[in-house]
Amino acid sequence: EKLHFRKVLFKYDSHKFQKRGYLTTANASSSFQNGENYDHICELASSSLRFGPGSTMEVGYDLASLKARRILLFVDPHVAKLPPFENVLCSIDQHVPKSYELDIYDQIRVEPDNESFQHANSYTTNQTTKHGHYDAIVALGGGSTIDTAKAANLYSCYPPNNFYDYVNPPLGKGLPVPGPLTPLIAIPTTAGTGSETTGVAIFDDTPTKSKTGIAHRRLKATLGIVDPDNIRSLTPSVAKYSGIDVLCHAMESYTAIPYNRRPSGKPPSPILRPAYQGSNPISDVWSIHALKECTEYLPRVVENLHSDEEARSKMCLAASSAGMGFGNAGVHLCHGMSYAVA
């Protein structure tokens, strides 16, 4: 059934702001006086986005602009048989100087685990050791492909002593990313995860039978290219369940604990502020937008995925919008419950 939303006006009003759970200047000062260590600062970190049918064909221009000579392309093995892959190769060949070197990694695992991450990390690190650092990385696929590329980018740029050094606590140390990473261009082929906008890379940890990840703002893609044509080949079932992922991202981020009530309080440095900082006025805008788009266009994209260009476009953008929402606010119960299933 369709969801019904009341009209939301994003207009500052002190009383409504406090009811939503966000502290205003007046009661922020009182919290300090009471000795509460709440964090009164929120921030939005997201990738640059390019959106529109056929935008995949522009990736070659971006690589040329980066003066990329050595390029690493991560691609889902199934996507490698579809038109988006040929479009990427064609664009690179047309616009990048002919002296370029292109390596392709297609051993992507759907729902990555610690072993698949480590395999991709080893491949990228070995290639870097033998031939030098890549000038750019392209990830073509769903969230599994993009998250694998994020992790490999990090581990090849700043190899840790142990795989779990960057992994979120309590499984890992949760060390911050030490510095800038190789430019990453993410091209999603599903309308679900929003990974092209977020600074998280999620995987299953098989030794502990749990789901965890790596989270830091520097993991996010330099550019996300959101092309509705890339989801044309999805089955209705995949379109439906990836669309429900968008819906859950938006609902959970909007209803998360407010950033200024986060139990961990204010970090000693901005670099240590968690990527999932809690619901906040900035993320709310994107989350509500995604919820409204899902209400209208998710049923349409499931019913007429191939012919309804408007619905495809709206759901692709809704996925990115929800990514900007939950990528800065976080998720909670639905995703926590899903870990037991995954």
Coordinates of all heavy atoms in Angstrom, one line a residue, residues 159-206:
P159 N 48.0 0.7 3.7 CA 47.9 -0.6 4.2 C 48.1 -0.7 5.7 O 49.0 -0.1 6.3 CB 49.1 -1.3 3.5 CG 49.4 -0.5 2.3 CD 49.1 0.9 2.7
P160 N 47.1 -1.3 6.4 CA 47.2 -1.4 7.9 C 48.0 -2.6 8.3 O 48.4 -3.4 7.5 CB 45.7 -1.5 8.3 CG 45.2 -2.3 7.1 CD 45.9 -1.9 5.9
N161 N 48.3 -2.6 9.6 CA 49.0 -3.8 10.2 C 48.0 -5.0 10.2 O 48.5 -6.2 10.0 CB 49.4 -3.5 11.6 CG 50.5 -2.5 11.6 OD1 51.4 -2.4 10.7 ND2 50.5 -1.6 12.6
N162 N 46.7 -4.8 10.3 CA 45.8 -5.8 10.4 C 44.5 -5.4 9.7 O 44.1 -4.2 9.7 CB 45.4 -6.1 11.9 CG 44.5 -7.3 12.1 OD1 43.3 -7.2 11.9 ND2 45.1 -8.4 12.5
F163 N 43.9 -6.4 9.0 CA 42.7 -6.0 8.3 C 41.6 -5.3 9.1 O 40.9 -4.4 8.6 CB 42.0 -7.3 7.7 CG 40.7 -7.1 7.1 CD1 40.6 -6.5 5.8 CD2 39.5 -7.6 7.7 CE1 39.3 -6.4 5.2 CE2 38.3 -7.4 7.1 CZ 38.2 -6.8 5.9
Y164 N 41.5 -5.7 10.4 CA 40.4 -5.1 11.2 C 40.8 -3.7 11.8 O 40.0 -3.2 12.6 CB 40.1 -6.1 12.3 CG 39.4 -7.3 11.8 CD1 40.1 -8.5 11.5 CD2 38.0 -7.3 11.6 CE1 39.5 -9.6 11.0 CE2 37.4 -8.5 11.1 CZ 38.1 -9.6 10.8 OH 37.5 -10.7 10.3
D165 N 41.9 -3.2 11.5 CA 42.3 -1.9 12.0 C 41.3 -0.8 11.6 O 41.0 0.1 12.4 CB 43.7 -1.5 11.6 CG 44.8 -2.2 12.3 OD1 44.5 -2.9 13.3 OD2 46.0 -2.1 11.9
Y166 N 40.8 -0.8 10.4 CA 39.8 0.2 10.0 C 38.4 -0.2 10.2 O 37.5 0.6 10.0 CB 40.0 0.4 8.5 CG 41.3 1.1 8.1 CD1 42.2 0.4 7.2 CD2 41.7 2.3 8.6 CE1 43.4 1.0 6.8 CE2 42.9 2.9 8.2 CZ 43.7 2.3 7.3 OH 44.9 2.8 7.0
V167 N 38.1 -1.5 10.6 CA 36.8 -2.0 10.8 C 36.2 -1.4 12.0 O 36.8 -1.2 13.0 CB 36.8 -3.5 10.8 CG1 35.4 -4.0 11.1 CG2 37.3 -4.1 9.5
N168 N 34.8 -1.1 11.9 CA 34.1 -0.5 13.1 C 34.3 -1.3 14.3 O 34.2 -2.6 14.3 CB 32.7 -0.3 12.7 CG 32.4 0.6 11.5 OD1 33.2 1.5 11.3 ND2 31.3 0.4 10.9
P169 N 34.4 -0.7 15.5 CA 34.3 -1.4 16.8 C 32.9 -2.0 16.9 O 32.0 -1.5 16.3 CB 34.5 -0.3 17.8 CG 35.2 0.9 17.1 CD 34.6 0.8 15.7
P170 N 32.8 -3.1 17.7 CA 33.8 -3.7 18.5 C 34.7 -4.8 17.8 O 35.6 -5.3 18.4 CB 33.0 -4.4 19.6 CG 31.7 -4.8 18.9 CD 31.4 -3.7 17.9
L171 N 34.3 -5.1 16.5 CA 35.1 -6.1 15.8 C 36.5 -5.6 15.5 O 37.5 -6.3 15.5 CB 34.4 -6.5 14.6 CG 33.2 -7.4 14.7 CD1 32.6 -7.8 13.4 CD2 33.5 -8.6 15.6
G172 N 36.6 -4.3 15.2 CA 37.9 -3.7 14.8 C 38.2 -2.5 15.6 O 37.5 -2.1 16.6
K173 N 39.3 -1.8 15.2 CA 39.7 -0.6 16.0 C 39.0 0.7 15.5 O 39.1 1.7 16.3 CB 41.3 -0.4 15.8 CG 42.1 -1.6 16.5 CD 43.6 -1.3 16.3 CE 44.4 -2.4 16.9 NZ 45.9 -2.2 16.7
G174 N 38.5 0.7 14.3 CA 37.8 1.9 13.8 C 38.8 3.0 13.6 O 38.4 4.2 13.8
L175 N 40.0 2.7 13.2 CA 41.0 3.8 12.9 C 40.5 4.7 11.8 O 39.9 4.3 10.8 CB 42.3 3.2 12.6 CG 43.0 2.4 13.6 CD1 44.4 1.9 13.1 CD2 43.2 3.1 14.9
P176 N 40.7 6.0 12.0 CA 40.3 7.0 10.9 C 41.1 6.8 9.7 O 42.3 6.4 9.8 CB 40.4 8.3 11.5 CG 41.4 8.1 12.6 CD 41.2 6.8 13.1
V177 N 40.6 7.1 8.5 CA 41.4 7.1 7.3 C 42.5 8.2 7.4 O 42.2 9.3 7.6 CB 40.5 7.3 6.1 CG1 41.3 7.4 4.8 CG2 39.4 6.2 6.0
P178 N 43.8 7.8 7.2 CA 44.9 8.7 7.5 C 44.9 10.0 6.5 O 45.4 11.0 6.9 CB 46.1 7.9 7.3 CG 45.6 6.5 7.4 CD 44.3 6.5 6.9
G179 N 44.5 9.8 5.3 CA 44.6 10.9 4.4 C 43.7 10.7 3.1 O 42.9 9.8 3.1
P180 N 44.0 11.5 2.1 CA 43.2 11.4 0.8 C 43.4 10.1 0.1 O 44.5 9.5 0.2 CB 43.7 12.6 0.0 CG 44.4 13.5 0.9 CD 44.9 12.6 2.0
L181 N 42.4 9.6 -0.6 CA 42.4 8.4 -1.3 C 42.4 8.7 -2.8 O 42.3 9.8 -3.2 CB 41.2 7.5 -1.0 CG 41.0 7.2 0.5 CD1 39.7 6.3 0.7 CD2 42.2 6.4 1.1
T182 N 42.6 7.6 -3.6 CA 42.6 7.7 -5.0 C 41.2 8.1 -5.5 O 40.2 7.6 -4.9 CB 43.0 6.4 -5.7 OG1 44.3 6.0 -5.2 CG2 42.9 6.5 -7.2
P183 N 41.1 9.1 -6.4 CA 39.7 9.5 -6.9 C 38.9 8.3 -7.3 O 39.4 7.4 -8.1 CB 40.0 10.4 -8.1 CG 41.4 11.0 -7.8 CD 42.1 9.9 -7.1
L184 N 37.7 8.2 -6.8 CA 36.8 7.1 -7.1 C 35.5 7.6 -7.8 O 34.9 8.5 -7.3 CB 36.4 6.3 -5.8 CG 35.3 5.3 -5.9 CD1 35.7 4.1 -6.8 CD2 35.0 4.8 -4.5
I185 N 35.2 7.0 -8.9 CA 33.9 7.3 -9.6 C 33.0 6.1 -9.5 O 33.4 5.0 -10.0 CB 34.2 7.7 -11.1 CG1 35.1 8.9 -11.2 CG2 32.9 7.9 -11.8 CD1 35.5 9.2 -12.7
A186 N 31.9 6.3 -8.9 CA 30.9 5.2 -8.6 C 29.7 5.4 -9.6 O 29.1 6.4 -9.7 CB 30.5 5.2 -7.2
I187 N 29.4 4.3 -10.3 CA 28.3 4.3 -11.2 C 27.4 3.1 -10.8 O 27.6 2.0 -11.2 CB 28.8 4.1 -12.7 CG1 30.0 5.0 -13.0 CG2 27.7 4.2 -13.7 CD1 30.6 4.8 -14.4
P188 N 26.3 3.4 -10.1 CA 25.4 2.4 -9.7 C 24.6 1.8 -10.8 O 24.2 2.5 -11.7 CB 24.5 3.1 -8.6 CG 24.6 4.5 -9.0 CD 25.9 4.8 -9.6
T189 N 24.3 0.5 -10.7 CA 23.4 -0.2 -11.6 C 22.2 -0.7 -11.0 O 21.5 -1.6 -11.5 CB 24.2 -1.3 -12.3 OG1 24.7 -2.2 -11.3 CG2 25.3 -0.8 -13.2
T190 N 21.9 -0.3 -9.7 CA 20.7 -0.6 -9.0 C 20.2 0.7 -8.4 O 21.0 1.7 -8.3 CB 20.9 -1.6 -7.9 OG1 21.8 -1.1 -6.9 CG2 21.4 -3.0 -8.4
A191 N 18.9 0.8 -8.0 CA 18.4 1.9 -7.3 C 18.1 1.5 -5.9 O 16.9 1.2 -5.6 CB 17.2 2.5 -8.1
G192 N 19.1 1.4 -5.1 CA 18.9 0.8 -3.8 C 19.8 1.3 -2.7 O 19.4 2.1 -1.8
T193 N 21.1 1.0 -2.8 CA 22.0 1.2 -1.6 C 22.4 2.6 -1.4 O 22.7 3.0 -0.3 CB 23.3 0.4 -1.8 OG1 24.0 0.9 -2.9 CG2 22.9 -1.1 -2.1
G194 N 22.4 3.4 -2.5 CA 22.9 4.8 -2.4 C 24.4 4.8 -2.1 O 24.9 5.9 -1.6
S195 N 25.1 3.7 -2.3 CA 26.6 3.7 -1.9 C 27.4 4.7 -2.7 O 28.5 5.1 -2.2 CB 27.1 2.3 -2.2 OG 28.4 2.1 -1.8
E196 N 26.9 5.2 -3.8 CA 27.6 6.2 -4.5 C 27.8 7.6 -3.8 O 28.5 8.4 -4.2 CB 27.0 6.5 -5.9 CG 25.6 7.1 -5.9 CD 24.5 6.2 -5.6 OE1 24.7 5.0 -5.4 OE2 23.3 6.6 -5.7
T197 N 27.0 7.7 -2.7 CA 27.0 9.0 -2.0 C 27.6 8.8 -0.6 O 27.8 9.8 0.1 CB 25.6 9.5 -1.8 OG1 24.8 8.7 -0.9 CG2 24.9 9.6 -3.1
T198 N 27.8 7.6 -0.1 CA 28.1 7.4 1.3 C 29.6 7.1 1.6 O 30.4 6.7 0.7 CB 27.3 6.2 1.9 OG1 27.8 5.0 1.4 CG2 25.8 6.4 1.6
G199 N 30.0 7.3 2.8 CA 31.4 6.9 3.2 C 31.4 5.7 4.0 O 32.2 5.6 5.0
V200 N 30.7 4.7 3.7 CA 30.7 3.4 4.4 C 30.9 2.2 3.4 O 30.5 2.3 2.2 CB 29.4 3.2 5.2 CG1 29.3 4.2 6.3 CG2 28.2 3.3 4.3
A201 N 31.5 1.2 3.8 CA 31.7 0.0 3.0 C 31.3 -1.2 4.0 O 32.0 -1.5 5.0 CB 33.1 -0.2 2.6
I202 N 30.2 -1.9 3.6 CA 29.6 -2.9 4.5 C 30.0 -4.3 4.0 O 30.1 -4.6 2.8 CB 28.1 -2.8 4.5 CG1 27.7 -1.4 4.9 CG2 27.5 -3.8 5.4 CD1 28.1 -1.0 6.3
F203 N 30.3 -5.2 5.0 CA 30.6 -6.6 4.7 C 30.2 -7.5 5.8 O 29.9 -7.1 6.9 CB 32.1 -6.8 4.4 CG 33.0 -6.6 5.6 CD1 33.4 -7.7 6.4 CD2 33.5 -5.3 6.0 CE1 34.2 -7.5 7.5 CE2 34.3 -5.2 7.1 CZ 34.6 -6.3 7.9
D204 N 30.1 -8.8 5.4 CA 29.8 -9.9 6.4 C 31.1 -10.4 7.0 O 32.0 -10.7 6.2 CB 29.0 -11.0 5.7 CG 27.6 -10.7 5.3 OD1 27.0 -9.7 5.9 OD2 27.1 -11.3 4.3
D205 N 31.2 -10.4 8.3 CA 32.4 -11.0 8.9 C 32.1 -12.5 9.3 O 31.4 -12.8 10.2 CB 32.7 -10.2 10.2 CG 34.0 -10.6 10.8 OD1 35.0 -10.5 10.1 OD2 34.0 -11.1 12.0
T206 N 32.6 -13.3 8.4 CA 32.3 -14.8 8.6 C 32.8 -15.4 9.9 O 32.1 -16.2 10.5 CB 32.9 -15.6 7.4 OG1 34.3 -15.3 7.2 CG2 32.1 -15.2 6.1

